[in-house]
Each structure stands twice: as C-alpha cells, then as structure tokens.
Amino acid sequence: MPNPGLVLILNCGSSSLKFAALDPFSGEEYLSGQADALGSSGAVLNWRYCSEDNSQPLSPSDDCESVIGWLVERFDGTWLGLKARLLAIGHRVVHGGELFADSVLIDQQVLTAIRSCCELAPLHNPAALQGIQTALIAFPQVPQAAVFDTAFHQGMPDYAYLYALPYRLYQDHHIRRYGMHGSSHRYIAERSAELLGKPTTEANVISAHLGNGASIAAIKGGHSVDTSMGLTPLEGLVMGSRCGDLDPGLLLHLGESLDYSLAELEQLLNKESGLLGLSGLSNDCRELEEAMENGHEGARLALEVFCYRLAKYIAAYTVPLRRVSALAFTGGIGENSSWVRHRTISWLSALGYQLNQERNEATRFGAEGLISKAGTLDIFVIPTREDWVIARDAARLASEVR
C-alpha cells in the first residue's frame, strides 16, 4: 500500500512556532514540534519524530524564519521521505477580517489581504506573514493554504457581531466582533455531532475552548452563531493573562485618572490581567490549582472568577441555540482540569447540566468522552485537533489545482 500524502502545518506566533506533518485523511501525525521563547535566552526547540522525543537549545537571534530553515534542512536530509510525500502546507492565520470566510490558497493577493488585517491582530498576523513568506521560498513547488481563526465565525448574524457603536465605524473601519479559535470550534462541532450520533446539521453545540487563550462558541447545525472573542482576542472569557470582558469606562478612568498610556493599557489588559493578575501568582491553571489546595487565596479567587464567568457565557448561549444538544470542553484547561469543569457545571444545575464525577476525573490527559450523568444534558471532553482541520483544508485546496 503506498504511503499517504502529508500536509505540513505551520503555526507562527510572536515568540513561538508550532509545526506538524499529518495525513489529512486519517489525522495520523508523523512529525510534531514547537520552538518556544523565540528571541530570548531561553529559546528551545522540541520535536517528536518516529516516536522519539528530541530537544535542542536555540540562540536569542533565532526566529520563525530560522526555525523554518532548520525544518528545510531536515526535510532535505533526515526527513527526505516526508518531503517527497508533501501534498500541501497549511498556515494558521489568526485574523482574516471580513475578507475571508473560508481557507484559501496563498498568492500575492492573499498576502496583501493578510497584511491589511495586521492592525486587527498585531501580535499574530505579522508572525504568520513571516512564516508564510519563508515557506513560499523554501517550498516553492508545494501548494500552500491560509486557514483563518476568524473564518468559521463569518456567518454570524449581524445582531451578534455588531457593537452598539455608531454604524459608520463598522462601515468605514470594519469595527465588529470577529471571534477566534475557529478551527478548534469547527472540529469540536463536528466531533460532538459524531459522538451524539447525529449529522452536524442537526447538532447544536456549545464549544468551550479553554487555555491561556480562551473562547466559547454557540454552534447551530455546524455554523457559528455567536462567540465570545470580538474585534481582537481580548474580549470574552477570563484568560491566562488577558482580562476578557470589562467596563469600557474603566479604560477612560485608567487613562484620565491614573495617566495610563495606550502602550501601558495594552500591556495591562493583554499580559498582566486574567488568571495572572487576579492571583498575583501565575497564568498556569495547573499551578493555580496546586496553590489553591495549599491555601493560596489569590489562586482560589482567580479560578473562581474564571469558572463563574465561563458558566455565565454557557448559560447565555442557550439563547441563540434555543435547544442545546451538547456542551463540549476542549483546549489545555478544558481537556485536563476536572476541577474547572466541576466548578463551572456547579453553577449550571438549573439548566439541566450535571456531572458524573467519576467520569469527570477519569477524562483527562488526552482522553475523550461523555462526563455527564445519565439522563441529563450531554457534556463531552474532546481533545481539539486544529492541526487536522488545517491539514484537511490545505489538502482540499491543493487537490483543486492539481
């Protein structure tokens, strides 16, 4: 039997690069890795190939371009067999604005459009562009696709995506709610429907993607009808170091009364708030749960606020769905923190949500399954597969030009 074709996934962030090579049809992973803390003295590259884990330090001067160069060297040497099987390369791009409602093959026009969205995601889109441009040079004969976090939410109704601001700001400057984590929410909707034994078109799912970045989506018949993130990834749930929802008047107060500059506000809201800011300790849920068990009051408070705000969003998304088929937890926190799931669901008993505590404790660390009590609303834990969604889209688009 011939070896299946593969898709190389590249996910370039402001200080990291994740990569993987997958079979887009089965989802089987042949290679995975991540470069972390790029641009710092602690930069490191970790990867897994042929069931072996490897690691090497990087220099402070290394960036996405140099890591992709390292990948090219490997593909031309040790991994030559993988290179021969590449069908396509898929790039995760955070923000596509209103320009992209689906994944697209990359050309100069697409690059220009992605660049025009940089002001909407200044930490993410420039890094994605660097990765794309480097990969286009490194793999000139391989079709390459951009898969946008925002695309899945482009079908939201206007009453869900508009802010109550003068309409001219939307008309002239495209100021609206866009949402993120689209590939993850899309996968969770599809997988939830499979677990329910229903077509995706008949399943109404609340998808809670919980990690250092966190968002929730109401997905009706496979289509996003509301989501918690807005113009930027800052709106919505409490996150690792992002504040989520707050009173806009607070920004005026901080600027006028406490003399915060725009740069200081950006730093405060994106990097000093959320679980980190409330706890005064960490943005890592695992550390906070351990500290809470040892009596740390700030850790307890941060986790309580996180779960309470999440529960309110879950309850609110009953409105656009009307009938909820399932609630699904995913992302690093959603998949692994049985405490967060338990505390969140404890707020929602009036809506019919109840946990099976034994299943909740057992379904962690890559496990998938139903964690609700029999006869109550279905609650799933589903490890997300954003990379597989990206691979599928890239392979589909590449097949159209072959």
Side-chain angles (χ1 to χ4, degrees):
M1 182 176 179
N3 287 328
L6 302 178
V7 174
L8 175 64
I9 308 301
L10 296 176
N11 180 355
C12 295
S14 57
S15 62
S16 68
L17 168 61
K18 297 179 183 178
F19 57 87
L22 287 84
D23 177 343
F25 307 104
S26 70
E28 183 178 357
E29 191 173 79
Y30 289 77
L31 166 72
S32 64
Q34 181 165 343
D36 284 310
L38 292 173
S40 75
S41 59
V44 63
L45 175 62
N46 298 292
W47 72 96
R48 182 175 180 81
Y49 176 65
C50 290
S51 301
E52 290 187 7
D53 293 318
N54 301 273
S55 181
Q56 71 178 53
L58 297 172
S59 74
S61 62
D62 281 321
D63 58 9
C64 284
E65 183 175 354
S66 56
V67 175
I68 292 174
W70 176 90
L71 279 170
V72 171
E73 290 179 5
R74 289 279 173 151
F75 276 112
D76 286 337
T78 310
W79 303 339
L80 190 60
L82 292 185
K83 183 178 181 181
R85 293 159 58 189
L86 283 184
L87 297 172
I89 297 174
H91 298 268
R92 180 204 176 202
V93 182
V94 166
H95 220 304
E98 289 189 303
L99 300 174
F100 300 100
D102 197 0
S103 304
V104 293
L105 285 174
I106 296 170
D107 57 20
Q108 285 302 315
Q109 186 176 357
V110 169
L111 287 173
T112 299
I114 293 173
R115 191 171 292 110
S116 73
C117 296
C118 280
E119 64 182 17
L120 298 173
L123 296 178
H124 299 91
N125 274 32
L129 277 170
Q130 182 189 33
I132 291 170
Q133 290 167 327
T134 302
L136 287 172
I137 295 170
F139 301 95
Q141 304 304 317
V142 181
Q144 303 196 32
V147 181
F148 300 90
D149 276 14
T150 50
F152 182 62
H153 305 295
Q154 276 297 293
M156 289 193 300
D158 53 6
Y159 55 77
Y161 69 69
L162 285 173
Y163 291 112
L165 294 168
Y167 192 67
R168 66 178 183 275
L169 290 174
Y170 169 64
Q171 290 178 305
D172 298 341
H173 303 288
H174 310 290
I175 293 177
R176 50 159 285 179
R177 303 179 65 251
Y178 288 98
M180 311 291 164
H181 296 138
S183 295
S184 178
H185 290 305
R186 179 174 143 201
Y187 175 79
I188 296 305
E190 294 169 357
R191 183 60 185 147
S192 294
E194 290 176 0
L195 294 173
L196 289 165
K198 296 181 176 183
T200 304
T201 54
E202 296 179 12
N204 293 346
V205 177
I206 297 175
S207 170
H209 179 108
L210 310 177
N212 195 49
S215 70
I216 186 168
I219 306 167
K220 190 172 186 178
H223 301 282
S224 175
V225 292
D226 207 345
T227 192
S228 57
M229 284 183 171
L231 177 76
T232 74
L234 188 59
E235 187 180 355
L237 303 175
V238 173
M239 299 174 229
S241 60
R242 299 179 211 153
C243 61
D245 292 341
L246 51 71
D247 176 2
L250 170 63
L251 304 182
L252 302 177
H253 174 73
L254 290 173
E256 293 176 357
S257 300
L258 302 181
D259 202 28
Y260 271 71
S261 67
L262 289 177
E264 289 170 328
L265 286 173
E266 192 278 332
Q267 176 76 12
L268 174 74
L269 301 180
N270 278 296
K271 299 182 180 179
E272 299 175 359
S273 299
L275 293 174
L276 174 64
L278 283 167
S279 69
L281 180 65
S282 175
N283 65 340
D284 191 308
C285 185
R286 295 163 294 187
E287 292 183 31
L288 294 179
E289 287 187 33
E290 183 178 350
M292 178 178 63
E293 290 175 2
N294 293 325
H296 193 288
E297 178 60 19
R300 181 204 65 80
L301 178 63
L303 290 168
E304 288 281 7
V305 173
F306 180 92
C307 294
Y308 176 66
R309 292 266 290 272
L310 172 59
K312 287 205 299 181
Y313 260 99
I314 293 170
Y317 281 0
T318 303
V319 173
L321 296 183
R322 301 186 183 179
R323 175 188 54 80
V324 178
S325 304
L327 164 66
F329 289 98
T330 193
I333 296 173
E335 294 169 27
N336 298 313
S337 177
S338 57
W339 188 90
V340 164
R341 297 190 304 243
H342 166 76
R343 189 69 185 108
T344 301
I345 296 303
S346 72
W347 291 103
L348 296 166
S349 58
L351 295 180
Y353 293 99
Q354 293 187 48
L355 282 183
N356 178 310
Q357 295 300 343
E358 184 176 342
R359 287 180 181 171
N360 184 44
E361 291 296 331
T363 312
R364 304 169 67 195
F365 310 124
E368 176 187 83
L370 186 71
I371 61 170
S372 50
K373 282 186 178 179
T376 65
L377 274 171
D378 285 336
I379 306 171
F380 295 118
V381 174
I382 303 175
T384 192
R385 291 296 310 272
E386 294 167 282
D387 53 356
W388 192 8
V389 171
I390 294 171
R392 283 164 26 195
D393 276 12
R396 168 178 58 85
L397 290 165
S399 70
E400 295 174 358
V401 296
R402 290 186 184 278

